[in-house]
Structure formats: structure tokens, C-alpha cells
Amino acid sequence: LVQPPPAIAVSDEEHDFGLNQFGDPAEWGLEISNVGYLDLEVTRVEFGDGAFSSDFEAVTLGRGESITVTVTFDPDDIGDYAGTMSIFSNDPQLQGEPVNVSLEGESAIAAIALSAQEIDFGEAGLGESVTSIIAVENEGGYPLVISEFIFDNEVFSVNVEGELTIGVNERIGVEFIFSPDDFGDFEGEVTIVSNAFENNQVEIGLIGVGVLPDPHFTYTITADSHSLLVSEALLDDETLVFGDEIGVFTTGGLCAGAGVVGLDDRNNPFPMGIAAWANDNETEEVDGFKSDEEFAFLYWDIYAQEEFEAFADYEQGPEAFAANGFTILSLSAVSRNVPQISLNLDDIDFGE
């Protein structure tokens, strides 16, 4: 009785590795099987192009057995590649010829290009933000993936969340943000981390200036006013600082005068003058104080970006509005919730 011979079979006769990033090997599994009866001896594998290789080792496969060979595409340069994987065995039907598997693949790189190496944001008000857009282009043949923006100064940021992918020959605008947390000059650097082949980390210099923003409190200047001289203004027992504001309000909650602390002398801001403006009786809308109307005060904390109610301690002059009046006072406020204690005034009978 003559036993049937071995017979070789492969899971695929061709494979395209597609587009791959240069330097990042791509792998594919090819299954080699014995679909005959007697043992199949798979002796060697040859490749017609050095861009392709495998982990193959000579093996004997019994009836119905198979192995998976890992085929790797890892060229020495970028470009398009095509080759043949030749598998030799003792399959008598092939008469010493191999089974051939066609292979192809493309290798490319991502290349980053920036429209500028430095961003000068100019001036930005404290508590405000300014933006600048830098064009980022992928000049390579593989998608550019920006994985991270690393800033060495927290006043600078970027309007990007997560990874940013830029296609082949694509150019996009990336918005950078400057949000000063103090007055003065700021410098920093952002490092853009990507999969670009030759420069996977590129830096952009960042500069900007923190300045006073437009006033927080707004009011209408009319014909008559009451002069207020603030000798001291405290918030949590600390003197208000340059850029903070003091607003004077009517009992109806209308701002009728304000001033920026330290605008005339940053180092010696007090005493500080504020004009409280009278209502213009020739207009229908209320735009200032009525005679004998009491003053109310609010602080604007420029660093906290919050308003706080302030309380007056009058030192000299009227405590209510008078045209051409003059008052000296000090102000104080707290920014935190102060515990309040209340007592029940009813009699308590403890008994005997």
C-alpha cells in the first residue's frame, strides 16, 4: 500500500504591508501547513529583497500540522518595495521548486516644519488671554503624530487635547495661548514631541508681557462729584495691591465711581482718591448718586478675579453723597466665609 505524499499549503499567496513608518518594523503571520499524508519537510525560506525577512527555522510537519512564520518588513531606506518569499520543501509535486508568496510595502517618514521658531504674544491684561497661531506642516510621506506639548512656564498653553495627527503634506494651524498671572515680562519655551524622523523634539520660544487690563468697574462721569480719599484698603488684613480696584456704589447697586490701586504710584498706592459721581437729572436713566445717598463699596481682586464687599470706617467728612463734598475713610473686607455665632436669647431653666 502506497501512502500519499506530503503537500505544502500557505495561508496567503501575497501580502501588502501598506504604508509603514521608517525604522518601525511591520510584521505579518504566514501559516504553512502539511495538507498531505507523509511528513512535510520545510527546509528553507529565501527572500528576493532584503527589506523582507522572517523568523523561519527548518521544520518537519506531520499530517495536518501547521506553523506560523512571522514575516517582517524593515527596509534600510524609505520608498516602495516588492519582493518574493520562496518556501522550499519536500513536496514531490513541486519537483524542488518553492512555493512563492508575493510581498510589497512602503516605508516613509514624518517630517515636521514650523512657520516660526518664536512667538511674541505682545501685551495681555492680567486675568485675560491672547492667542497666536503657528502653522505646523508635515513635509514627509507618513502621518505626523504630535504626542505632547511640554511647556516650561505655566502662563503659556496650547489649544490641543490629546494627540494631534497631521496627514501627509498637510498643514494646520495650532493655537498657542498666553495668560499672564502677574505683571511684567514673561519668557518660556514649548517642546513639541512627535514621531518626526530627524527631529522628534522641536522647540518654540515664547515671550509676552503682563499688563493692566481694562478696568473691571465702569461708571458714568457727570457734572458733580463727591471726593473720597481712601487712606487704607485691606482685604483679609492685607493692603490691596497694584491692579486691584475699588468701586463706589449707590444703594441701588449702580457703580458711580472707581479707581485702580497704585495707578499713580505702584509702590505707595495709599492714600488714594476716588470721585463718586452725581446723578444727571437731565437724563431719564439713573447714572449716579442722589443727594444724601449712602455709599457702598466693592473691591475687585485682580489676582483672584473676584469681587468682595468692603466696609467703610469714616474718619472725616460726610458719610453720604454731597455735591462737592469731601470724605476721608478707610476700607476693609474679607474674602473667606467667617463663622457666625448666634445666641438664643430666651431664658434657659436648668432646674435643680
Side-chain angles (χ1 to χ4, degrees):
L1 180 65
V2 178
Q3 294 179 328
I8 189 172
V10 293
S11 56
D12 295 278
E13 295 182 352
E14 61 182 16
H15 180 72
D16 185 356
F17 284 91
L19 178 63
N20 296 272
Q21 182 170 232
F22 177 68
D24 188 8
E27 296 182 343
W28 166 66
L30 173 68
E31 187 176 88
I32 303 174
S33 303
N34 179 8
V35 295
Y37 188 85
L38 297 177
D39 287 348
L40 175 71
E41 296 178 1
V42 186
T43 56
R44 72 182 192 276
V45 167
E46 295 179 357
F47 292 91
D49 192 297
F52 305 98
S53 63
S54 77
D55 65 351
F56 172 80
E57 294 181 357
V59 65
T60 298
L61 299 175
R63 182 177 59 176
E65 291 182 339
S66 63
I67 60 167
T68 298
V69 176
T70 299
V71 183
T72 302
F73 174 54
D74 187 16
D76 294 332
D77 202 352
I78 62 174
D80 295 320
Y81 292 84
T84 301
M85 178 182 182
S86 299
I87 306 168
F88 294 86
S89 70
N90 66 339
D91 185 337
Q93 293 184 359
L94 298 177
Q95 300 180 355
E97 293 297 317
V99 171
N100 292 319
V101 178
S102 298
L103 303 172
E104 60 182 276
E106 181 182 358
S107 178
I109 62 171
I112 189 170
L114 306 175
S115 62
Q117 300 299 319
E118 183 179 77
I119 303 175
D120 184 351
F121 289 94
E123 295 182 345
L126 191 61
E128 300 175 348
S129 298
V130 294
T131 62
S132 182
I133 295 177
I134 290 291
V136 182
E137 184 174 1
N138 179 11
E139 295 181 336
Y142 189 83
L144 175 68
V145 180
I146 297 176
S147 57
E148 194 173 7
F149 294 87
I150 303 174
F151 293 88
D152 64 0
N153 192 328
E154 64 183 10
V155 300
F156 301 106
S157 60
V158 66
N159 191 21
V160 173
E161 294 183 3
E163 290 187 343
L164 177 63
T165 300
I166 304 175
V168 175
N169 296 321
E170 185 180 1
R171 179 184 175 99
I172 68 170
V174 177
E175 184 180 62
F176 292 89
I177 306 167
F178 172 48
S179 305
D181 57 7
D182 206 343
F183 303 106
D185 297 331
F186 290 88
E187 293 183 0
E189 189 175 75
V190 56
T191 301
I192 302 176
V193 181
S194 73
N195 64 334
F197 178 66
E198 293 183 341
N199 50 349
N200 63 345
Q201 293 190 12
V202 294
E203 292 77 31
I204 298 177
L206 308 169
I207 57 175
V209 182
V211 298
L212 272 177
D214 291 335
H216 176 73
F217 295 125
T218 58
Y219 53 90
T220 300
I221 297 176
T222 58
D224 298 315
S225 67
H226 184 129
S227 297
L228 301 172
L229 185 65
V230 181
S231 60
E232 183 181 50
L234 302 178
L235 176 61
D236 296 333
D237 295 324
E238 297 287 338
T239 301
L240 296 189
V241 298
F242 175 64
D244 291 338
E245 297 180 33
I246 301 173
V248 56
F249 288 76
T250 66
T251 54
L254 173 72
C255 182
V260 178
V261 175
L263 197 59
D264 295 325
D265 188 342
R266 179 170 178 172
N267 296 321
N268 299 286
F270 295 99
M272 170 183 170
I274 300 174
W277 296 95
N279 181 51
D280 185 351
N281 294 323
E282 296 183 1
T283 61
E284 294 183 1
E285 65 273 9
V286 176
D287 46 21
F289 283 95
K290 298 178 181 178
S291 182
D292 294 324
E293 187 173 4
E294 294 182 351
F295 301 113
F297 297 91
L298 286 180
Y299 289 162
W300 171 249
D301 186 333
I302 193 168
Y303 288 96
Q305 294 286 292
E306 290 186 60
E307 293 180 352
F308 300 102
E309 183 179 6
F311 299 92
D313 182 10
Y314 293 96
E315 302 171 9
Q316 180 181 328
E319 300 181 9
F321 181 85
N324 300 317
F326 177 75
T327 299
I328 301 176
L329 69 155
S330 60
L331 295 169
S332 62
V334 292
S335 63
R336 57 192 179 276
N337 291 325
V338 178
Q340 300 292 323
I341 299 176
S342 61
L343 298 176
N344 188 339
L345 299 182
D346 294 339
D347 291 338
I348 300 176
D349 184 359
F350 290 96
E352 297 181 354

